[in-house]
Amino acid sequence: MYLVFSLIMFFIGGSMAMIIRAELFQPGLQFVDPQFYNSMVTVHALVMIFGAVMPAGVGLANWMIPIMIGAPDMALPRMNNMSFWIMPFAFALLLSTLFMDGGGPAGGWTMYPPLVLQTGKAFPFLIFAVHFLGISSIMGAINIIATVFNMRAPGMTLMRMPLFVWTWVITAFLLIASLPVLAGAVTMLLTDKYFGTSFFSAAGGGDPVLFQHIFWFFGHPEVYILALPAFGIISQIIPTFARKPLFGYASMVYATASIAILSFFVWAHHMFTVGLPINGELFFMYATMLIAVPTGVKVFNWIATMWKGAMTFEAPMLFALAFVVLFTIGGFSGLMLGITPVDFQYHDTYFVVAHFHYVLLTGAIFALMASAYYWLPKWTGNMYDEKLGKIHFWASAISANVLFFPQHFLGLAGMPRRIPDYSVQFADFNMISSLGGFAYGISQLLFVYIVVKCVLGGKKATGQVWDGARGLEWTLSSPPPYHSFSKPPKVTKALMEY
Amino acid sequence: MFLKKSMIRFLTKFSVVFASLFLLSSNLALAAWGLNMTQGVTPISQDVYNMHMTSLYVVTIIGILVFSVMFWSIFQHRKSKGVKPAKFSHSTTVEIIWTLIPFAIIVALAIPATKLLARMDDTSKSEITIKATGYQWKWKYDYIDEDITIYSNLAADSVDASQKNSGIDPKTADNYLRNTDTALVLPVGKKIRIMTTASDVIHAWWVPDLGWKRDAIPGFINDNWTVINKEGVYRGQCAEICGKGHGYMPIVVKAVPEKEYTAWVQETKVALNSKQDSGDKVLSMDDLKSKGAAVFKANCQACHQANGQGIKGVFPAIDGSPLANLKENIPAHIHQVIYGKGIMPAFGEQLSDTDIASVITFTRNNWGNKTGDIIQPKDVLASRKK
């Protein structure tokens, strides 16, 4: 359910991205008004973050965590049900604003006041949609924590849990800690607009920058809410196809936890240009650069896992390898952005756009694609079409780079983000980027075809599916029975090892 | 040695391709393609550029090393070559080493960055002070010591070409979307303090050649400085989303020798003074309408649209509105333009009496509005005095 929903949202958000790239294909205004363009930029981000990547992560967690830890199902099924059904209504609220007078929210997904307070009738819909999505995610997170801490099979000690489970437990804590902060911030916006408060209005003694502090206190952990499950997925897939245990399991767990903790101390690197005192800027610069260390440890561990393995390159492995390279490139630009004095040039340009799309699209979404191919045979009992899967991979990997790599150059050359039209010196790279965008959009249709074909039939999969796979999920039949483990299995050290 | 010839060849090729891509992006920055950050025209922008290049070199070298190991492994340790997987799963020594090395690298980067940041922060001993105020969607510049205030709008040819399906090739507009009607004129070689603030929403003042951008926040003043070393025209634009016209509020800085700057200050003062005493002139309908059309394009069109219809739900229509049609609403109409209403800014301090009179006459006698009303500068002056 979650996964189908997030795939639908992926295509809704994707079609907005297509509108954006179509408008930016050439200088001059051809298709949409600037106001509508801004609302596309805003809603694309909200749909992709809250509608595509987060539900996909929760969906994988709901399906795989019980199987991976030897439980019959999630701990709190009713809560799970509610957490899911809130989302279609939340997105109905959000997307309906596009058809209202004054159009959808157009102040950017970051909702900075005072601009966001100029939103027309869409404003309360935006706020309540964000509230509902927050509630839904918090319930999902509670469920995951309850499941993992109460329902592990005998012998499944914490330090034997698959890394995907570990990263999700940490993510769940991030969700619970950060989403209420967002809820507080948007509620303050609501009262500022309708009830005469002035939390964020300087004229009333408030501070517009306060919102940015609160928002990014949520916003930066949110980045890792999207990225940590992806780290978990990659840590499952690489050992499977390298036929070798994950290198440095314990340091992986510690690195994940330290990234999560550090993520609460770096929020102001999104706002270096607001005029912070120099000591504040230095603190956030140091903390931000520090995150490169545990992230680097993870990348080194993945490569050490490949080292001297016996690798094969099925679609999940291809996506996982592309993830390692492209996410690392996104990490490099992240390190550059973290250096405050230079960020004064990079900030709010296409360099930033390129950076977070490398981290989120070729990072988080590539990991989700990898996980889909990895577990599809387990879910459906049928093998997917490997040849088409490989075509999908190469098409996605090449077009995503054509799409986003030139945006680094655009940003360095001085093109700000969130503009519907640009000076003619930016024309060439924008055209290349748009062509990459269209190619990427079209190649994702192939993914839908592959999934549907796999669900309908295909070569029967064995329980083991991949010969290098280890862990409880592969001891079950494909597809697994309705209640995965009705009798808790006995987990021994040997089961998880090579 | 287990290094095979083919592997060495592959690695060499790989590094050559990578390095040449990288060199392309740094040294051969072709002007037309704008691959890299500008070196700029101030001491700070040069330092920022150097810091940028240092960090780019560092991450590129790390990238080449890490990805070479990875691709080496991908090509050597594959099942199709018949290798047997090794069994090792951790090595504390190695893990400690590759935690410490990145840490050392970031410390090495952080030291020069800290020094540079401290230099950028020091606005003391400035000789000229400018206050840049962001409006939806234009910039106002106050020369604090000279008592000069100028407004800087998007140039008219860019406005025309940027209309949806205008049919005008953007290449024909002079510096499309990066040109203004009035430039910020500054002398070279002087330390200039630029304060940024805003009147409505958050904007950001950014000229890449000066090496920084800074948010302009309503109710707050941010302090910055620059010394421009080279004469020339430097262009930038607003960098923080500020609504519909975000892409249409460029910044043009014209750096001139000090003598020329002093002359410009005198001229501008004289010109601004002559603008103020327009109150007693009486103008014809045609004069008012043609002047009003230009004022409308520069100040009103972004919200109320060229057809006067506004945008439903956000910006009200002028065409057919009671305010712009009923005789008894003339004073209210003048009042609203001078003092603003809701999110509509107050134009009283930006526009002269003649400008306001002509734009009101224009809007009352254009599109479907056919009131025949003529508003004279003295009517505006009278409203101001109330």
Side-chain angles (χ1 to χ4, degrees), chain B residues 73-264:
Chain B
S73 180
I74 286 174
F75 282 92
Q76 284 307 82
H77 308 136
R78 44 171 65 208
K79 200 184 173 200
S80 53
K81 293 210 164 185
V83 288
K84 281 260 163 351
K87 297 258 175 219
F88 65 86
S89 70
H90 62 277
S91 154
T92 314
T93 328
V94 178
E95 287 170 54
I96 289 175
I97 291 173
W98 70 39
T99 309
L100 290 181
I101 291 179
F103 187 76
I105 293 173
I106 60 171
V107 170
L109 281 176
I111 292 169
T114 306
K115 287 184 186 156
L116 175 55
L117 194 62
R119 272 205 302 286
M120 291 174 93
D121 196 54
D122 177 19
T123 54
S124 62
K125 293 191 192 128
S126 56
E127 295 161 272
I128 294 171
T129 303
I130 307 284
K131 187 172 101 181
T133 312
Y135 286 79
Q136 282 175 319
W137 292 278
K138 71 185 68 169
W139 291 96
K140 177 175 94 165
Y141 299 108
D142 292 300
Y143 291 71
I144 300 288
D145 320 294
E146 307 287 354
D147 199 24
I148 291 179
T149 297
I150 52 174
Y151 289 88
S152 186
N153 291 293
L154 179 63
D157 54 351
S158 284
V159 175
D160 290 335
S162 68
Q163 297 306 306
K164 192 168 155 190
N165 297 319
S166 62
I168 303 171
D169 183 359
K171 289 191 188 87
T172 60
D174 182 21
N175 284 291
Y176 180 59
L177 297 185
R178 289 214 151 194
N179 197 20
T180 55
D181 53 358
T182 335
L184 174 66
V185 179
L186 296 173
V188 294
K190 292 237 172 197
K191 184 162 180 176
I192 301 156
R193 181 162 165 243
I194 300 179
M195 304 188 293
T196 55
T197 185
S199 85
D200 33 43
V201 302
I202 302 176
H203 303 268
W205 199 85
W206 183 34
V207 176
D209 280 318
L210 303 190
W212 48 265
K213 74 173 67 64
R214 188 51 70 90
D215 288 0
I217 302 169
F220 289 77
I221 287 181
N222 277 325
D223 228 359
N224 318 276
W225 68 274
T226 191
V227 175
I228 303 175
N229 283 336
K230 225 174 100 192
E231 287 170 43
V233 178
Y234 307 111
R235 296 170 197 280
Q237 61 191 103
C238 176
E240 177 71 53
I241 187 168
C242 55
K244 191 173 154 291
H246 168 48
Y248 308 93
M249 50 185 291
I251 297 158
V252 177
V253 171
K254 199 173 158 200
V256 297
E258 205 188 334
K259 249 191 195 155
E260 220 175 290
Y261 171 74
T262 325
W264 177 86

Side-chain angles (χ1 to χ4, degrees), chain A residues 5 9 47 50 83-97 125-136:
Chain A
F5 178 78
M9 283 296 149
V47 166
F50 291 99
S83 154
F84 174 78
W85 280 108
I86 286 176
M87 284 199 306
F89 291 101
F91 278 100
L93 280 182
L94 182 63
L95 295 176
S96 69
T97 60
F125 291 84
L126 167 69
I127 301 293
F128 285 113
V130 171
H131 268 304
F132 283 140
L133 293 169
I135 293 170
S136 158

Side-chain angles (χ1 to χ4, degrees), chain B residues 12-34:
Chain B
T12 329
K13 253 189 228 166
F14 181 73
S15 342
V16 167
V17 172
F18 214 92
S20 52
L21 267 179
F22 163 66
L23 282 176
L24 193 74
S25 66
S26 58
N27 297 342
L28 303 176
L30 305 166
W33 283 70

Side-chain angles (χ1 to χ4, degrees), chain A residues 29-30 38 102 118 243 248 251 273-274 286 301 307-309 311 344-348 413-414 418 421 423 429, chain B residues 33-34 52 72 77 79 85-86 89 95 114 136 165 176 178 206 208 211 213-215 222 239-240 243 246 312:
Chain A
L29 211 57
Q30 291 89 22
N38 285 352
Q118 294 182 353
R243 292 167 181 77
S251 70
T273 62
V274 300
Y286 299 149
N301 281 345
W307 190 255
K308 298 220 166 165
M311 281 188 270
F344 291 158
Q345 286 279 36
Y346 303 141
H347 182 75
D348 267 340
R418 293 163 166 170
D421 195 3
S423 187
F429 280 126
Chain B
W33 283 70
H52 156 72
W72 169 274
H77 308 136
K79 200 184 173 200
S89 70
E95 287 170 54
T114 306
Q136 282 175 319
N165 297 319
Y176 180 59
R178 289 214 151 194
W206 183 34
K213 74 173 67 64
R214 188 51 70 90
D215 288 0
N222 277 325
E240 177 71 53
H246 168 48
K312 221 176 160 204

Side-chain angles (χ1 to χ4, degrees), chain A residues 302-370:
Chain A
W302 286 323
I303 293 175
T305 307
M306 296 174 213
W307 190 255
K308 298 220 166 165
M311 281 188 270
T312 51
F313 302 93
E314 288 85 351
M317 183 62 162
L318 289 174
F319 271 103
L321 294 174
F323 169 94
V324 174
V325 174
L326 300 175
F327 184 88
T328 306
I329 291 178
F332 286 151
S333 56
L335 180 68
M336 295 168 76
L337 283 161
I339 300 174
T340 314
V342 199
D343 180 68
F344 291 158
Q345 286 279 36
Y346 303 141
H347 182 75
D348 267 340
T349 66
Y350 262 81
F351 192 78
V352 178
V353 177
H355 158 70
F356 65 71
H357 280 103
Y358 262 85
V359 178
L360 291 179
L361 193 148
T362 63
I365 289 181
F366 270 29
L368 292 171
M369 290 292 174

Side-chain angles (χ1 to χ4, degrees), chain A residues 200-480:
Chain A
F200 307 127
S201 147
D207 180 353
V209 178
L210 176 66
F211 176 85
Q212 300 185 19
H213 283 290
I214 305 174
F215 180 86
W216 286 113
F217 187 80
F218 145 80
H220 201 78
E222 170 70 25
V223 173
Y224 289 100
I225 289 166
L226 304 173
L228 292 185
F231 294 166
I233 291 164
I234 301 304
S235 307
Q236 299 300 124
I237 291 175
I238 289 181
T240 298
F241 294 96
R243 292 167 181 77
K244 196 167 147 285
L246 181 69
F247 187 88
Y249 173 92
S251 70
M252 279 302 220
V253 174
Y254 300 140
T256 311
S258 41
I259 290 173
I261 292 166
L262 278 175
S263 75
F264 282 104
F265 298 99
V266 296
W267 75 87
H269 69 215
H270 298 268
M271 31 192 296
F272 279 146
T273 62
V274 300
L276 299 170
I278 184 166
N279 293 328
E281 292 192 325
L282 288 175
F283 172 81
F284 286 106
M285 172 169 81
Y286 299 149
T288 302
M289 293 172 84
L290 208 53
I291 288 198
V293 176
T295 316
V297 167
K298 281 180 159 291
V299 173
F300 298 143
N301 281 345
W302 286 323
I303 293 175
T305 307
M306 296 174 213
W307 190 255
K308 298 220 166 165
M311 281 188 270
T312 51
F313 302 93
E314 288 85 351
M317 183 62 162
L318 289 174
F319 271 103
L321 294 174
F323 169 94
V324 174
V325 174
L326 300 175
F327 184 88
T328 306
I329 291 178
F332 286 151
S333 56
L335 180 68
M336 295 168 76
L337 283 161
I339 300 174
T340 314
V342 199
D343 180 68
F344 291 158
Q345 286 279 36
Y346 303 141
H347 182 75
D348 267 340
T349 66
Y350 262 81
F351 192 78
V352 178
V353 177
H355 158 70
F356 65 71
H357 280 103
Y358 262 85
V359 178
L360 291 179
L361 193 148
T362 63
I365 289 181
F366 270 29
L368 292 171
M369 290 292 174
S371 73
Y373 285 117
Y374 185 53
W375 283 314
L376 259 180
K378 175 55 62 184
W379 296 331
T380 62
N382 305 318
M383 294 304 285
Y384 62 87
D385 188 330
E386 186 60 52
K387 203 170 155 197
L388 287 181
K390 282 188 172 136
I391 295 174
H392 173 224
F393 166 75
W394 286 110
S396 302
I398 294 170
S399 58
N401 280 292
V402 175
L403 167 55
F404 293 118
F405 209 79
Q407 297 187 355
H408 288 115
F409 305 138
L410 283 174
L412 292 176
M415 178 168 164
R417 61 193 282 209
R418 293 163 166 170
I419 54 174
D421 195 3
Y422 47 81
S423 187
V424 287
Q425 79 242 39
F426 306 129
D428 301 328
F429 280 126
N430 268 304
M431 192 176 275
I432 294 173
S433 176
S434 286
L435 290 173
F438 301 143
Y440 183 80
I442 292 166
S443 30
Q444 300 324 299
L445 297 175
L446 184 60
F447 177 68
V448 180
Y449 174 74
I450 295 169
V451 172
V452 171
K453 194 174 161 199
C454 176
V455 172
L456 293 180
K459 212 177 102 215
K460 288 282 162 257
T462 58
Q464 178 65 32
V465 185
W466 313 108
D467 62 357
R470 292 292 181 275
L472 282 176
E473 76 256 45
W474 310 107
T475 64
L476 291 174
S477 58
S478 301

Side-chain angles (χ1 to χ4, degrees), chain B residues 311-386:
Chain B
I311 293 176
K312 221 176 160 204
V314 196
F315 306 118
I318 301 177
D319 187 12
S321 78
L323 189 70
N325 279 290
L326 302 178
K327 266 248 155 16
E328 66 265 29
N329 281 342
I330 291 177
H333 193 172
I334 298 174
H335 188 270
Q336 183 165 332
V337 175
I338 296 177
Y339 298 103
K341 185 188 173 190
I343 63 170
M344 175 165 163
F347 285 96
E349 52 175 86
Q350 303 181 27
L351 300 177
S352 70
D353 295 345
T354 316
D355 288 342
I356 294 177
S358 38
V359 79
I360 291 176
T361 310
F362 169 75
T363 51
R364 297 183 80 86
N365 296 288
N366 198 26
W367 315 298
N369 300 349
K370 295 192 168 58
T371 58
D373 297 336
I374 294 180
I375 315 297
Q376 293 293 350
K378 66 174 181 349
D379 302 327
V380 180
L381 190 65
S383 176
R384 280 186 200 269
K385 279 178 179 161
K386 269 183 212 158

